[in-house]
Amino acid sequence: MSELSHLGIGTGLDVHAFCEDRPLVLGGVSIADAPGLLGHSDADVLTHAVMDALLSAARLGDIGELFPDTASEYEGISSLVLLEQVRRELKKAGVSVVDIDCTIAAEMPKLAPYKEEMRRTLAGALGISKACIGLKATTCEGLGFIGEKKGMAAFASVLVRKGA
Ligand code: MG
């Protein structure tokens, strides 16, 4: 088998609506002075996109299958706890993370001051180097549900090695 046959790619997309009465958590980091996101867990849209990309790359399904939003044990749970569980599932399947790249699409708040901490936090939960995680944020120039500040989206692409 060639080297390439041991690599896998995955993509993840997640969307959550803003709501006023919850804290905003992105990549496991609490963001001050911003509305939170609506969801069954802590609604950490970035961590959800990363988990879906990883599970897809490992061909292990998706977060809806692993952590159903009908299950009371996941209500309000930190998505970092779920990410650590994904890490264990990957390990069991002999899959290791090579690289991750993410984008958050949000009209607000300003995320630049938090990006390094988000990378460090996600890397810590996955047991990889911060250098293996790219993260950027963009606005949508006032267009659509993101531009109208109704919610935000996150995208993640991952590369994994299988048979590790
Ligand atoms: Mg989600």
Side-chain angles (χ1 to χ4, degrees):
M1 266 195 283
S2 73
E3 272 294 297
L4 281 177
S5 66
H6 293 281
L7 297 176
I9 59 167
T11 62
L13 162 66
D14 196 34
V15 170
H16 283 267
F18 280 121
C19 70
E20 285 298 333
D21 53 352
R22 299 188 87 194
L24 179 61
V25 180
L26 292 174
V29 175
S30 295
I31 312 290
D33 302 322
L37 296 169
L38 202 56
H40 187 65
S41 63
D42 63 358
D44 181 340
V45 67
L46 174 60
T47 302
H48 290 187
V50 169
M51 288 194 286
D52 253 351
L54 290 169
L55 289 169
S56 189
R59 311 298 184 249
L60 290 173
D62 62 38
I63 56 173
E65 290 165 25
L66 236 67
F67 314 117
D69 63 8
T70 48
S72 58
E73 71 254 45
Y74 301 126
E75 195 172 340
I77 196 169
S78 163
S79 295
L80 276 192
V81 172
L82 304 181
L83 182 62
E84 284 162 0
Q85 193 168 326
V86 167
R87 173 187 178 180
R88 289 191 290 275
E89 295 295 326
L90 294 180
K91 190 161 189 232
K92 263 195 271 173
V95 173
S96 61
V97 181
V98 177
D99 208 57
I100 299 177
D101 190 48
C102 317
T103 304
I104 300 172
E107 211 67 15
M108 55 102 183
K110 284 268 176 259
L111 295 174
Y114 298 97
K115 283 197 299 188
E116 290 309 298
E117 196 181 345
M118 286 187 237
R119 290 175 62 214
R120 192 164 49 242
T121 303
L122 289 171
L126 286 168
I128 61 176
S129 161
K130 191 181 88 165
C132 298
I133 301 186
L135 174 62
K136 56 218 172 291
T138 185
T139 69
C140 286
E141 303 288 336
L143 295 170
F145 75 89
I146 294 168
E148 290 164 9
K149 301 177 184 170
K150 291 178 179 168
M152 64 169 71
F155 308 82
S157 302
V158 306
L159 182 66
V160 300
R161 180 169 288 114
K162 300 179 181 187

